[in-house]
Amino acid sequence: MNGESKQQLIMYLLFCIILPLISQVLGNSNCDNASNERNHYVIETLADNFVAPYQLAFDANTNTLFFSYTVEKAKRYFKIVYMDVNTKEKGEVTGIPDGFAQTVDTRNHIVYMGGRNGIYQFDYKTKSANSLNITKESIWQMFFKDYLYYTTIYPDEVAYVYKNGVVSKVQQLENIKTLLIAVDNNNNIYYSNSSGLFVLDNANVTENIGEYNINGFTSDVKGNLYFSTTSEIYSIVTKNTVKKIADLNDDVHGVAIDADGNYIYSTYESVKRLKVEATNCS
Ligand SMILES: *[C@@H]1O[C@H](CO)[C@@H](O)[C@H](O)[C@H]1NC(C)=O
Ligand SMILES: *[C@@H]1O[C@H](CO)[C@@H](O)[C@H](O)[C@H]1NC(C)=O
Ligand SMILES: *[C@@H]1O[C@H](CO)[C@@H](O)[C@H](O)[C@H]1NC(C)=O
Ligand SMILES: *[C@@H]1O[C@H](CO)[C@@H](O)[C@H](O)[C@H]1NC(C)=O
């Protein structure tokens, strides 16, 4: 090897191996400041070819995901799918006309479902839904936190709570249109309507959190709240502040959280799982 090519080799090593190493080591000292830009997403498709999967709910007791989707035949109607996210085994829930909404009471192992004719309970053995005969209303969304909260479809958009065997309107929201509802560990009630996202606290004070175009609320196993907009996922950090978790650059229809804290979200025709992993910070 002559002197010139030796020099070239050294330059090559410097640029291709040593400099990246140095910047990686420097980069690692920035890990305290890890932000979304420093995280990367690992996205796995769980289900495909379902039109507009919506109202996702995850049962951590059985690792089962529930979502509804739209069937466009002579008439448009809705169906609910159950899916074991470990085995990927899935199927349609029977016994519920226009099945649309679902939520899980994790402590008591009850999966609630809502459809055109009221509220049902899912039976894992038969994969069917049995009416609870507590309402005949058409259900839009449901959320379980100590009690079963639910909303009815447009144009009514009324918030109800099913508590100790009795259904009643959520009194504080009696004259307010409510599309989606959720409750946090401090019993603050979050709701969204065409005017935005609001929180109603225990002193009955309402605050506007922002004009988010929300399509789903969910909670993790600890009861922390999250919501999705048409392309992003947020967490609710304190009573009235939110933090963006992920900008998916995709057409998001809803979100749920699996037992390991990963985000499961739907797009126009699929359901995906998002793992957020820190880069250079291991
Ligand atoms: C972390 O961010 C803060 C505030 O932006 C900045 O002052 C600090 O220098 C950053 N630390 C590192 C290691 O980059
Ligand atoms: C609801 O009513 C149906 C029809 O009368 C009945 O078969 C079913 O057992 C009832 N469900 C409950 C939970 O009571
Ligand atoms: C939505 O909720 C806010 C806050 O409670 C309320 O001021 C507004 O009137 C509601 N919008 C509708 C259409 O009811
Ligand atoms: C909040 O409103 C509800 C229903 O209107 C009422 O029952 C409750 O006492 C109120 N709470 C406070 C702290 O004023």
Side-chain angles (χ1 to χ4, degrees), residues 170-174 200-205:
V170 176
Q171 269 182 46
Q172 295 93 323
L173 301 179
E174 222 169 327
L200 171 75
D201 68 15
N202 294 307
N204 289 339
V205 174

Side-chain angles (χ1 to χ4, degrees), residues 175-177 191 193-195 198 206:
N175 300 310
I176 295 164
K177 299 270 185 198
Y191 60 96
N193 62 28
S194 53
S195 318
F198 300 89
T206 300

Side-chain angles (χ1 to χ4, degrees), residues 162-277:
Y162 175 52
K163 179 174 177 177
N164 306 328
V166 179
V167 164
S168 56
K169 287 184 179 171
V170 176
Q171 269 182 46
Q172 295 93 323
L173 301 179
E174 222 169 327
N175 300 310
I176 295 164
K177 299 270 185 198
T178 309
L179 218 54
L180 302 173
I181 189 165
V183 179
D184 73 5
N185 286 325
N186 300 315
N187 294 315
N188 297 310
I189 298 176
Y190 293 82
Y191 60 96
S192 74
N193 62 28
S194 53
S195 318
L197 170 63
F198 300 89
V199 57
L200 171 75
D201 68 15
N202 294 307
N204 289 339
V205 174
T206 300
E207 281 180 72
N208 183 347
I209 299 180
E211 287 187 14
Y212 297 96
N213 190 1
I214 297 181
N215 50 30
F217 276 121
T218 196
S219 57
D220 62 18
V221 284
K222 293 185 190 129
N224 301 309
L225 296 189
Y226 301 78
F227 63 86
S228 56
T229 66
T230 49
S231 65
E232 292 157 339
I233 299 171
Y234 290 84
S235 70
I236 294 173
V237 192
T238 65
K239 189 181 97 182
N240 54 11
T241 59
V242 306
K243 181 178 134 200
K244 194 193 287 183
I245 302 275
D247 188 341
L248 292 161
N249 211 357
D250 205 341
D251 178 25
V252 177
H253 278 60
V255 66
I257 296 180
D258 74 11
D260 299 322
N262 300 308
Y263 304 93
I264 296 178
Y265 67 96
S266 56
T267 67
Y268 182 65
E269 53 184 12
S270 62
V271 179
K272 298 179 183 181
R273 174 156 55 188
L274 166 73
K275 295 184 182 174
V276 181
E277 294 183 351

Side-chain angles (χ1 to χ4, degrees), residues 26-34:
L26 286 177
N28 276 347
S29 67
N30 282 333
C31 280
D32 281 346
N33 283 355

Side-chain angles (χ1 to χ4, degrees), residues 13-33:
L13 284 176
L14 185 65
F15 279 106
C16 297
I17 299 169
I18 300 173
L19 279 184
L21 273 180
I22 291 173
S23 64
Q24 207 185 349
V25 169
L26 286 177
N28 276 347
S29 67
N30 282 333
C31 280
D32 281 346
N33 283 355

